[in-house]
Amino acid sequence: GLPVREESGRAIGVLEEVAEGQDVDTWVVRGPTGENLIPAVRDTIVSVIPDEEIVIVDGWLEGSDAI
C-alpha cells in the first residue's frame, strides 16, 4: 500500500485496505503503533500523489496517541 502522512510530514502508516461503507469508505492505515481508520472524504484526504506513491491527510490526528 501507499505510505500515508499528515501535511506536517508526520508518518501515520501504510494504506492497507479500503473498507466500503454505506455512506463513506474508510481507509485502513496500519502503522508502527497500530491501526487508524481514516474516512475517505475531502475534508480528510488532502492529496493522493501516485507518482510519488504517497497519500497526504490533514492533521486530524495531531495530538492523538492513536498513531
Side-chain angles (χ1 to χ4, degrees):
L2 296 175
V4 178
R5 297 189 179 275
E6 291 183 335
E7 289 179 286
S8 67
R10 181 178 173 191
I12 297 173
V14 176
L15 176 61
E16 296 286 338
E17 179 182 346
V18 176
E20 292 185 29
Q22 191 170 24
D23 296 322
V24 65
D25 291 346
T26 301
W27 290 5
V28 179
V29 178
R30 292 188 181 92
T33 60
E35 180 178 275
N36 292 285
L37 303 177
I38 300 176
V41 296
R42 288 183 196 195
D43 289 345
T44 304
I45 309 301
V46 174
S47 183
V48 177
I49 309 169
D51 292 344
E52 295 180 31
E53 298 184 345
I54 193 165
V55 175
I56 307 294
V57 297
D58 78 353
W60 69 282
L61 290 173
E62 285 181 15
S64 171
D65 292 330
I67 60 172

